[in-house]
Amino acid sequence: MLTDHWPIAGLRLTTPRLELRVPDLDDLAELGDVAAAGVHDPAVQPFSTPWTEAEPAMVALGTIQFQWGGWARWSPDDWNLQFVVVADGRVIGSQAISGKQFAVLREVASGSWLGLEFQRRGYGTEMRAAVLDLAFAGLGAEFAVSQAFEHNAASYGVSKRLGYADDGIERHVVRGKPMVGRRVRLDRRSWAAARSVPVEIVGLDPCRALLGVSEGA
């Protein structure tokens, strides 16, 4: 079985309304369809890498290839765990959590997107809460960081609801113009104080070595 060699494929996170899982090929096809249908208002670019600025077919293809590329580059010292987010049996978007030198730094970063059809339903908070539980409760993280452009009130609002604190700014170039990213940081104590979404984690133990942590850590 694939999970004998790639146990990440068996990792699942569940919340009251959502399932987060590592995608199979059918999930990737559906994820590509969701991305091609639109992720944000075309007038505003919320991503530092403008992966949505292409014809729909190329957005779908790029979404799938990005997932494959992450699997190919994976190492315990530099990993990017990309989940598909599923609600009522439908793939609705993607939630990522990544770690570099996690065994030493105990810090993760996150990123996510939802199809336009599925926004403004509270899913963003629930899916980020799921990966934070994986990080802090499952892997023993000490910090989680994220970033959103200053015009992205929805993402910033998710961070504040989950207990993050402001952590400075970072400047980017988007569409040839400067753009300010607002960094946020969450420590273990603040995560525990703000924790309100129940999360079930299945299939983590066989994945620990691939995520740079020892068994039971």
Side-chain angles (χ1 to χ4, degrees):
M1 295 180 63
L2 178 62
T3 52
D4 292 337
H5 308 289
W6 182 241
I8 296 294
L11 185 58
R12 299 284 188 276
L13 313 178
T14 56
T15 67
R17 297 186 296 167
L18 304 175
E19 179 184 59
L20 281 69
R21 63 189 184 225
V22 175
D24 61 19
L25 295 182
D26 288 337
D27 289 334
L28 284 182
E30 193 171 353
L31 186 68
D33 290 340
V34 174
V39 176
H40 59 83
D41 179 350
V44 180
Q45 177 52 262
F47 304 114
S48 56
T49 299
W51 61 273
T52 54
E53 296 187 358
E55 292 299 315
M58 295 307 298
V59 171
L61 178 60
T63 298
I64 294 168
Q65 289 180 314
F66 177 77
Q67 297 275 342
W68 288 337
W71 298 345
R73 292 188 298 270
W74 189 290
S75 82
D77 289 332
D78 188 358
W79 47 266
N80 189 350
L81 179 51
Q82 297 274 339
F83 292 102
V84 289
V85 182
V86 180
D88 297 323
R90 299 178 65 188
V91 171
I92 64 172
S94 176
Q95 174 69 61
I97 180 174
S98 60
K100 292 186 177 182
Q101 299 292 325
F102 180 81
V104 177
L105 297 177
R106 295 286 169 167
E107 179 174 291
V108 298
S110 65
S112 64
W113 60 266
L114 284 166
L116 279 171
E117 177 185 352
F118 308 105
Q119 295 175 14
R120 297 181 175 85
R121 303 186 192 182
Y123 289 146
T125 300
E126 200 165 324
M127 58 204 244
R128 179 109 62 95
V131 294
L132 290 177
D133 234 63
L134 173 63
F136 287 105
L139 299 177
E142 295 297 330
F143 299 98
V145 297
S146 190
Q147 184 175 161
F149 290 141
E150 58 184 356
H151 60 71
N152 193 344
S155 179
Y156 186 70
V158 167
S159 297
K160 299 305 286 186
R161 282 192 292 276
L162 292 170
Y164 289 77
D166 291 323
D167 193 36
I169 66 167
E170 184 173 345
R171 300 181 78 226
H172 303 264
V173 176
V174 178
R175 294 176 174 173
K177 297 180 180 180
M179 187 72 69
V180 174
R182 301 169 73 172
R183 297 198 306 260
V184 290
R185 176 175 292 271
L186 179 66
D187 61 29
R188 173 174 283 275
R189 180 180 297 178
S190 298
W191 163 75
R195 190 183 189 189
S196 62
V197 177
V199 180
E200 181 182 3
I201 303 171
V202 174
L204 176 58
D205 283 347
C207 302
R208 292 184 182 278
L210 287 170
L211 296 167
V213 295
S214 59
E215 186 172 349

PDB file of all heavy atoms in Angstrom, residues 173-205:
ATOM      1  N   VAL A 173       6.700  42.878  -3.742  1.00  0.00           N
ATOM      2  CA  VAL A 173       6.335  43.510  -5.001  1.00  0.00           C
ATOM      3  C   VAL A 173       5.244  42.660  -5.640  1.00  0.00           C
ATOM      4  O   VAL A 173       5.447  41.470  -5.909  1.00  0.00           O
ATOM      5  CB  VAL A 173       7.529  43.635  -5.960  1.00  0.00           C
ATOM      6  CG1 VAL A 173       7.070  44.217  -7.301  1.00  0.00           C
ATOM      7  CG2 VAL A 173       8.613  44.510  -5.343  1.00  0.00           C
ATOM      8  N   VAL A 174       4.079  43.260  -5.871  1.00  0.00           N
ATOM      9  CA  VAL A 174       2.939  42.572  -6.469  1.00  0.00           C
ATOM     10  C   VAL A 174       2.418  43.431  -7.612  1.00  0.00           C
ATOM     11  O   VAL A 174       2.108  44.608  -7.425  1.00  0.00           O
ATOM     12  CB  VAL A 174       1.816  42.329  -5.439  1.00  0.00           C
ATOM     13  CG1 VAL A 174       0.623  41.657  -6.088  1.00  0.00           C
ATOM     14  CG2 VAL A 174       2.342  41.479  -4.280  1.00  0.00           C
ATOM     15  N   ARG A 175       2.345  42.846  -8.792  1.00  0.00           N
ATOM     16  CA  ARG A 175       1.900  43.569  -9.987  1.00  0.00           C
ATOM     17  C   ARG A 175       2.698  44.850 -10.189  1.00  0.00           C
ATOM     18  O   ARG A 175       2.181  45.885 -10.576  1.00  0.00           O
ATOM     19  CB  ARG A 175       0.401  43.866  -9.911  1.00  0.00           C
ATOM     20  CG  ARG A 175      -0.475  42.615  -9.947  1.00  0.00           C
ATOM     21  CD  ARG A 175      -1.953  42.941  -9.780  1.00  0.00           C
ATOM     22  NE  ARG A 175      -2.781  41.742  -9.970  1.00  0.00           N
ATOM     23  CZ  ARG A 175      -4.089  41.703  -9.756  1.00  0.00           C
ATOM     24  NH1 ARG A 175      -4.734  42.793  -9.361  1.00  0.00           N
ATOM     25  NH2 ARG A 175      -4.770  40.589  -9.950  1.00  0.00           N
ATOM     26  N   GLY A 176       4.008  44.755  -9.882  1.00  0.00           N
ATOM     27  CA  GLY A 176       4.906  45.872 -10.097  1.00  0.00           C
ATOM     28  C   GLY A 176       4.831  46.977  -9.068  1.00  0.00           C
ATOM     29  O   GLY A 176       5.475  48.023  -9.237  1.00  0.00           O
ATOM     30  N   LYS A 177       4.094  46.774  -7.981  1.00  0.00           N
ATOM     31  CA  LYS A 177       3.937  47.804  -6.965  1.00  0.00           C
ATOM     32  C   LYS A 177       4.295  47.231  -5.589  1.00  0.00           C
ATOM     33  O   LYS A 177       4.148  46.033  -5.343  1.00  0.00           O
ATOM     34  CB  LYS A 177       2.500  48.321  -6.943  1.00  0.00           C
ATOM     35  CG  LYS A 177       2.075  49.008  -8.229  1.00  0.00           C
ATOM     36  CD  LYS A 177       0.630  49.489  -8.127  1.00  0.00           C
ATOM     37  CE  LYS A 177       0.206  50.181  -9.417  1.00  0.00           C
ATOM     38  NZ  LYS A 177      -1.204  50.661  -9.338  1.00  0.00           N
ATOM     39  N   PRO A 178       4.748  48.088  -4.663  1.00  0.00           N
ATOM     40  CA  PRO A 178       5.043  47.595  -3.315  1.00  0.00           C
ATOM     41  C   PRO A 178       3.761  47.232  -2.579  1.00  0.00           C
ATOM     42  O   PRO A 178       2.740  47.897  -2.712  1.00  0.00           O
ATOM     43  CB  PRO A 178       5.747  48.789  -2.650  1.00  0.00           C
ATOM     44  CG  PRO A 178       5.274  49.987  -3.407  1.00  0.00           C
ATOM     45  CD  PRO A 178       5.045  49.515  -4.815  1.00  0.00           C
ATOM     46  N   MET A 179       3.851  46.169  -1.809  1.00  0.00           N
ATOM     47  CA  MET A 179       2.713  45.705  -1.027  1.00  0.00           C
ATOM     48  C   MET A 179       3.226  45.295   0.355  1.00  0.00           C
ATOM     49  O   MET A 179       4.266  44.647   0.470  1.00  0.00           O
ATOM     50  CB  MET A 179       2.034  44.521  -1.711  1.00  0.00           C
ATOM     51  CG  MET A 179       0.742  44.088  -1.061  1.00  0.00           C
ATOM     52  SD  MET A 179      -0.595  45.247  -1.352  1.00  0.00           S
ATOM     53  CE  MET A 179      -0.860  45.012  -3.118  1.00  0.00           C
ATOM     54  N   VAL A 180       2.500  45.689   1.378  1.00  0.00           N
ATOM     55  CA  VAL A 180       2.906  45.405   2.755  1.00  0.00           C
ATOM     56  C   VAL A 180       2.213  44.147   3.254  1.00  0.00           C
ATOM     57  O   VAL A 180       0.984  44.041   3.211  1.00  0.00           O
ATOM     58  CB  VAL A 180       2.581  46.588   3.678  1.00  0.00           C
ATOM     59  CG1 VAL A 180       2.878  46.233   5.141  1.00  0.00           C
ATOM     60  CG2 VAL A 180       3.395  47.809   3.269  1.00  0.00           C
ATOM     61  N   GLY A 181       2.997  43.189   3.723  1.00  0.00           N
ATOM     62  CA  GLY A 181       2.464  41.999   4.367  1.00  0.00           C
ATOM     63  C   GLY A 181       2.529  42.145   5.876  1.00  0.00           C
ATOM     64  O   GLY A 181       3.546  42.590   6.423  1.00  0.00           O
ATOM     65  N   ARG A 182       1.443  41.815   6.545  1.00  0.00           N
ATOM     66  CA  ARG A 182       1.393  41.868   8.006  1.00  0.00           C
ATOM     67  C   ARG A 182       1.711  40.485   8.561  1.00  0.00           C
ATOM     68  O   ARG A 182       0.955  39.537   8.358  1.00  0.00           O
ATOM     69  CB  ARG A 182       0.019  42.323   8.472  1.00  0.00           C
ATOM     70  CG  ARG A 182      -0.390  43.672   7.952  1.00  0.00           C
ATOM     71  CD  ARG A 182      -1.849  43.979   8.201  1.00  0.00           C
ATOM     72  NE  ARG A 182      -2.128  44.262   9.598  1.00  0.00           N
ATOM     73  CZ  ARG A 182      -3.299  44.713  10.038  1.00  0.00           C
ATOM     74  NH1 ARG A 182      -4.307  44.897   9.198  1.00  0.00           N
ATOM     75  NH2 ARG A 182      -3.481  44.957  11.318  1.00  0.00           N
ATOM     76  N   ARG A 183       2.838  40.365   9.246  1.00  0.00           N
ATOM     77  CA  ARG A 183       3.225  39.097   9.860  1.00  0.00           C
ATOM     78  C   ARG A 183       2.512  38.937  11.200  1.00  0.00           C
ATOM     79  O   ARG A 183       2.311  39.909  11.928  1.00  0.00           O
ATOM     80  CB  ARG A 183       4.731  39.033  10.069  1.00  0.00           C
ATOM     81  CG  ARG A 183       5.563  39.073   8.801  1.00  0.00           C
ATOM     82  CD  ARG A 183       6.973  38.564   9.073  1.00  0.00           C
ATOM     83  NE  ARG A 183       7.588  39.270  10.171  1.00  0.00           N
ATOM     84  CZ  ARG A 183       8.459  40.268  10.040  1.00  0.00           C
ATOM     85  NH1 ARG A 183       8.798  40.709   8.833  1.00  0.00           N
ATOM     86  NH2 ARG A 183       9.001  40.861  11.092  1.00  0.00           N
ATOM     87  N   VAL A 184       2.162  37.701  11.509  1.00  0.00           N
ATOM     88  CA  VAL A 184       1.563  37.382  12.808  1.00  0.00           C
ATOM     89  C   VAL A 184       2.241  36.140  13.362  1.00  0.00           C
ATOM     90  O   VAL A 184       2.753  35.299  12.613  1.00  0.00           O
ATOM     91  CB  VAL A 184       0.037  37.165  12.712  1.00  0.00           C
ATOM     92  CG1 VAL A 184      -0.682  38.479  12.430  1.00  0.00           C
ATOM     93  CG2 VAL A 184      -0.316  36.127  11.659  1.00  0.00           C
ATOM     94  N   ARG A 185       2.243  36.024  14.700  1.00  0.00           N
ATOM     95  CA  ARG A 185       2.914  34.913  15.377  1.00  0.00           C
ATOM     96  C   ARG A 185       2.038  34.419  16.524  1.00  0.00           C
ATOM     97  O   ARG A 185       1.429  35.215  17.241  1.00  0.00           O
ATOM     98  CB  ARG A 185       4.287  35.359  15.895  1.00  0.00           C
ATOM     99  CG  ARG A 185       5.045  34.310  16.714  1.00  0.00           C
ATOM    100  CD  ARG A 185       6.429  34.812  17.068  1.00  0.00           C
ATOM    101  NE  ARG A 185       7.252  34.917  15.873  1.00  0.00           N
ATOM    102  CZ  ARG A 185       7.995  33.930  15.386  1.00  0.00           C
ATOM    103  NH1 ARG A 185       8.022  32.747  16.008  1.00  0.00           N
ATOM    104  NH2 ARG A 185       8.714  34.105  14.301  1.00  0.00           N
ATOM    105  N   LEU A 186       2.007  33.107  16.685  1.00  0.00           N
ATOM    106  CA  LEU A 186       1.219  32.456  17.735  1.00  0.00           C
ATOM    107  C   LEU A 186       2.145  31.577  18.564  1.00  0.00           C
ATOM    108  O   LEU A 186       2.862  30.731  18.011  1.00  0.00           O
ATOM    109  CB  LEU A 186       0.117  31.602  17.083  1.00  0.00           C
ATOM    110  CG  LEU A 186      -0.816  30.817  17.995  1.00  0.00           C
ATOM    111  CD1 LEU A 186      -1.689  31.748  18.828  1.00  0.00           C
ATOM    112  CD2 LEU A 186      -1.691  29.870  17.166  1.00  0.00           C
ATOM    113  N   ASP A 187       2.143  31.761  19.882  1.00  0.00           N
ATOM    114  CA  ASP A 187       2.926  30.868  20.739  1.00  0.00           C
ATOM    115  C   ASP A 187       2.017  29.826  21.369  1.00  0.00           C
ATOM    116  O   ASP A 187       0.792  29.890  21.271  1.00  0.00           O
ATOM    117  CB  ASP A 187       3.717  31.644  21.792  1.00  0.00           C
ATOM    118  CG  ASP A 187       2.845  32.456  22.741  1.00  0.00           C
ATOM    119  OD1 ASP A 187       1.682  32.068  22.997  1.00  0.00           O
ATOM    120  OD2 ASP A 187       3.330  33.496  23.232  1.00  0.00           O
ATOM    121  N   ARG A 188       2.614  28.855  22.005  1.00  0.00           N
ATOM    122  CA  ARG A 188       1.845  27.725  22.543  1.00  0.00           C
ATOM    123  C   ARG A 188       0.810  28.179  23.571  1.00  0.00           C
ATOM    124  O   ARG A 188      -0.335  27.704  23.573  1.00  0.00           O
ATOM    125  CB  ARG A 188       2.817  26.712  23.156  1.00  0.00           C
ATOM    126  CG  ARG A 188       2.147  25.577  23.904  1.00  0.00           C
ATOM    127  CD  ARG A 188       3.146  24.544  24.358  1.00  0.00           C
ATOM    128  NE  ARG A 188       3.545  23.716  23.242  1.00  0.00           N
ATOM    129  CZ  ARG A 188       2.875  22.648  22.818  1.00  0.00           C
ATOM    130  NH1 ARG A 188       1.747  22.291  23.429  1.00  0.00           N
ATOM    131  NH2 ARG A 188       3.296  21.935  21.815  1.00  0.00           N
ATOM    132  N   ARG A 189       1.176  29.091  24.442  1.00  0.00           N
ATOM    133  CA  ARG A 189       0.241  29.539  25.479  1.00  0.00           C
ATOM    134  C   ARG A 189      -0.967  30.239  24.862  1.00  0.00           C
ATOM    135  O   ARG A 189      -2.106  29.985  25.258  1.00  0.00           O
ATOM    136  CB  ARG A 189       0.950  30.475  26.455  1.00  0.00           C
ATOM    137  CG  ARG A 189       0.045  31.001  27.565  1.00  0.00           C
ATOM    138  CD  ARG A 189       0.787  31.914  28.509  1.00  0.00           C
ATOM    139  NE  ARG A 189       1.853  31.203  29.205  1.00  0.00           N
ATOM    140  CZ  ARG A 189       2.692  31.781  30.076  1.00  0.00           C
ATOM    141  NH1 ARG A 189       2.578  33.078  30.337  1.00  0.00           N
ATOM    142  NH2 ARG A 189       3.622  31.069  30.680  1.00  0.00           N
ATOM    143  N   SER A 190      -0.728  31.094  23.883  1.00  0.00           N
ATOM    144  CA  SER A 190      -1.830  31.820  23.246  1.00  0.00           C
ATOM    145  C   SER A 190      -2.725  30.877  22.451  1.00  0.00           C
ATOM    146  O   SER A 190      -3.949  31.051  22.394  1.00  0.00           O
ATOM    147  CB  SER A 190      -1.282  32.924  22.348  1.00  0.00           C
ATOM    148  OG  SER A 190      -0.548  33.868  23.101  1.00  0.00           O
ATOM    149  N   TRP A 191      -2.111  29.883  21.811  1.00  0.00           N
ATOM    150  CA  TRP A 191      -2.901  28.871  21.096  1.00  0.00           C
ATOM    151  C   TRP A 191      -3.835  28.143  22.061  1.00  0.00           C
ATOM    152  O   TRP A 191      -5.035  27.995  21.788  1.00  0.00           O
ATOM    153  CB  TRP A 191      -1.985  27.873  20.405  1.00  0.00           C
ATOM    154  CG  TRP A 191      -2.682  26.602  20.012  1.00  0.00           C
ATOM    155  CD1 TRP A 191      -3.544  26.430  18.972  1.00  0.00           C
ATOM    156  CD2 TRP A 191      -2.589  25.334  20.681  1.00  0.00           C
ATOM    157  NE1 TRP A 191      -3.996  25.119  18.944  1.00  0.00           N
ATOM    158  CE2 TRP A 191      -3.430  24.435  19.974  1.00  0.00           C
ATOM    159  CE3 TRP A 191      -1.875  24.867  21.781  1.00  0.00           C
ATOM    160  CZ2 TRP A 191      -3.571  23.097  20.359  1.00  0.00           C
ATOM    161  CZ3 TRP A 191      -2.010  23.538  22.160  1.00  0.00           C
ATOM    162  CH2 TRP A 191      -2.850  22.671  21.455  1.00  0.00           C
ATOM    163  N   ALA A 192      -3.304  27.713  23.196  1.00  0.00           N
ATOM    164  CA  ALA A 192      -4.122  26.968  24.153  1.00  0.00           C
ATOM    165  C   ALA A 192      -5.259  27.828  24.698  1.00  0.00           C
ATOM    166  O   ALA A 192      -6.382  27.346  24.901  1.00  0.00           O
ATOM    167  CB  ALA A 192      -3.246  26.462  25.294  1.00  0.00           C
ATOM    168  N   ALA A 193      -4.992  29.128  24.896  1.00  0.00           N
ATOM    169  CA  ALA A 193      -6.011  30.015  25.447  1.00  0.00           C
ATOM    170  C   ALA A 193      -7.140  30.278  24.457  1.00  0.00           C
ATOM    171  O   ALA A 193      -8.297  30.437  24.853  1.00  0.00           O
ATOM    172  CB  ALA A 193      -5.369  31.334  25.870  1.00  0.00           C
ATOM    173  N   ALA A 194      -6.806  30.314  23.162  1.00  0.00           N
ATOM    174  CA  ALA A 194      -7.813  30.637  22.141  1.00  0.00           C
ATOM    175  C   ALA A 194      -8.457  29.399  21.529  1.00  0.00           C
ATOM    176  O   ALA A 194      -9.420  29.511  20.769  1.00  0.00           O
ATOM    177  CB  ALA A 194      -7.168  31.476  21.033  1.00  0.00           C
ATOM    178  N   ARG A 195      -7.963  28.221  21.867  1.00  0.00           N
ATOM    179  CA  ARG A 195      -8.411  26.975  21.236  1.00  0.00           C
ATOM    180  C   ARG A 195      -9.895  26.729  21.503  1.00  0.00           C
ATOM    181  O   ARG A 195     -10.324  26.660  22.649  1.00  0.00           O
ATOM    182  CB  ARG A 195      -7.579  25.833  21.815  1.00  0.00           C
ATOM    183  CG  ARG A 195      -7.707  24.492  21.149  1.00  0.00           C
ATOM    184  CD  ARG A 195      -6.855  23.495  21.911  1.00  0.00           C
ATOM    185  NE  ARG A 195      -6.734  22.207  21.261  1.00  0.00           N
ATOM    186  CZ  ARG A 195      -6.180  21.148  21.846  1.00  0.00           C
ATOM    187  NH1 ARG A 195      -5.707  21.250  23.091  1.00  0.00           N
ATOM    188  NH2 ARG A 195      -6.104  20.008  21.204  1.00  0.00           N
ATOM    189  N   SER A 196     -10.675  26.592  20.447  1.00  0.00           N
ATOM    190  CA  SER A 196     -12.121  26.388  20.618  1.00  0.00           C
ATOM    191  C   SER A 196     -12.720  25.399  19.631  1.00  0.00           C
ATOM    192  O   SER A 196     -13.882  25.027  19.773  1.00  0.00           O
ATOM    193  CB  SER A 196     -12.851  27.731  20.483  1.00  0.00           C
ATOM    194  OG  SER A 196     -12.653  28.288  19.204  1.00  0.00           O
ATOM    195  N   VAL A 197     -11.950  24.982  18.621  1.00  0.00           N
ATOM    196  CA  VAL A 197     -12.458  24.061  17.603  1.00  0.00           C
ATOM    197  C   VAL A 197     -11.968  22.649  17.916  1.00  0.00           C
ATOM    198  O   VAL A 197     -10.751  22.408  17.956  1.00  0.00           O
ATOM    199  CB  VAL A 197     -11.979  24.474  16.201  1.00  0.00           C
ATOM    200  CG1 VAL A 197     -12.450  23.465  15.154  1.00  0.00           C
ATOM    201  CG2 VAL A 197     -12.469  25.875  15.853  1.00  0.00           C
ATOM    202  N   PRO A 198     -12.860  21.688  18.155  1.00  0.00           N
ATOM    203  CA  PRO A 198     -12.408  20.321  18.381  1.00  0.00           C
ATOM    204  C   PRO A 198     -11.828  19.706  17.115  1.00  0.00           C
ATOM    205  O   PRO A 198     -12.417  19.829  16.033  1.00  0.00           O
ATOM    206  CB  PRO A 198     -13.677  19.586  18.834  1.00  0.00           C
ATOM    207  CG  PRO A 198     -14.805  20.408  18.317  1.00  0.00           C
ATOM    208  CD  PRO A 198     -14.323  21.831  18.258  1.00  0.00           C
ATOM    209  N   VAL A 199     -10.677  19.066  17.245  1.00  0.00           N
ATOM    210  CA  VAL A 199      -9.962  18.495  16.102  1.00  0.00           C
ATOM    211  C   VAL A 199      -9.559  17.064  16.426  1.00  0.00           C
ATOM    212  O   VAL A 199      -9.011  16.797  17.502  1.00  0.00           O
ATOM    213  CB  VAL A 199      -8.697  19.310  15.762  1.00  0.00           C
ATOM    214  CG1 VAL A 199      -7.965  18.708  14.561  1.00  0.00           C
ATOM    215  CG2 VAL A 199      -9.046  20.775  15.503  1.00  0.00           C
ATOM    216  N   GLU A 200      -9.828  16.158  15.506  1.00  0.00           N
ATOM    217  CA  GLU A 200      -9.369  14.768  15.629  1.00  0.00           C
ATOM    218  C   GLU A 200      -8.270  14.537  14.613  1.00  0.00           C
ATOM    219  O   GLU A 200      -8.422  14.859  13.429  1.00  0.00           O
ATOM    220  CB  GLU A 200     -10.510  13.791  15.389  1.00  0.00           C
ATOM    221  CG  GLU A 200     -10.077  12.334  15.535  1.00  0.00           C
ATOM    222  CD  GLU A 200     -11.200  11.353  15.261  1.00  0.00           C
ATOM    223  OE1 GLU A 200     -12.310  11.789  14.895  1.00  0.00           O
ATOM    224  OE2 GLU A 200     -10.959  10.128  15.403  1.00  0.00           O
ATOM    225  N   ILE A 201      -7.160  13.971  15.066  1.00  0.00           N
ATOM    226  CA  ILE A 201      -6.014  13.699  14.205  1.00  0.00           C
ATOM    227  C   ILE A 201      -5.869  12.188  14.066  1.00  0.00           C
ATOM    228  O   ILE A 201      -5.771  11.471  15.062  1.00  0.00           O
ATOM    229  CB  ILE A 201      -4.720  14.289  14.792  1.00  0.00           C
ATOM    230  CG1 ILE A 201      -4.872  15.804  15.021  1.00  0.00           C
ATOM    231  CG2 ILE A 201      -3.523  13.993  13.885  1.00  0.00           C
ATOM    232  CD1 ILE A 201      -3.724  16.429  15.790  1.00  0.00           C
ATOM    233  N   VAL A 202      -5.845  11.709  12.828  1.00  0.00           N
ATOM    234  CA  VAL A 202      -5.727  10.269  12.552  1.00  0.00           C
ATOM    235  C   VAL A 202      -4.518  10.041  11.654  1.00  0.00           C
ATOM    236  O   VAL A 202      -4.303  10.775  10.681  1.00  0.00           O
ATOM    237  CB  VAL A 202      -7.003   9.739  11.863  1.00  0.00           C
ATOM    238  CG1 VAL A 202      -6.826   8.274  11.451  1.00  0.00           C
ATOM    239  CG2 VAL A 202      -8.207   9.896  12.779  1.00  0.00           C
ATOM    240  N   GLY A 203      -3.720   9.022  11.986  1.00  0.00           N
ATOM    241  CA  GLY A 203      -2.626   8.615  11.113  1.00  0.00           C
ATOM    242  C   GLY A 203      -1.336   9.373  11.298  1.00  0.00           C
ATOM    243  O   GLY A 203      -0.462   9.332  10.417  1.00  0.00           O
ATOM    244  N   LEU A 204      -1.160  10.054  12.443  1.00  0.00           N
ATOM    245  CA  LEU A 204       0.030  10.883  12.624  1.00  0.00           C
ATOM    246  C   LEU A 204       1.282  10.077  12.959  1.00  0.00           C
ATOM    247  O   LEU A 204       2.366  10.367  12.454  1.00  0.00           O
ATOM    248  CB  LEU A 204      -0.227  11.925  13.717  1.00  0.00           C
ATOM    249  CG  LEU A 204       0.972  12.808  14.092  1.00  0.00           C
ATOM    250  CD1 LEU A 204       1.494  13.562  12.884  1.00  0.00           C
ATOM    251  CD2 LEU A 204       0.588  13.767  15.221  1.00  0.00           C
ATOM    252  N   ASP A 205       1.175   9.074  13.834  1.00  0.00           N
ATOM    253  CA  ASP A 205       2.374   8.401  14.342  1.00  0.00           C
ATOM    254  C   ASP A 205       3.319   7.915  13.239  1.00  0.00           C
ATOM    255  O   ASP A 205       4.535   8.128  13.328  1.00  0.00           O
ATOM    256  CB  ASP A 205       1.991   7.250  15.266  1.00  0.00           C
ATOM    257  CG  ASP A 205       1.570   7.746  16.657  1.00  0.00           C
ATOM    258  OD1 ASP A 205       1.805   8.930  16.956  1.00  0.00           O
ATOM    259  OD2 ASP A 205       1.006   6.941  17.418  1.00  0.00           O
TER     260      ASP A 205
END
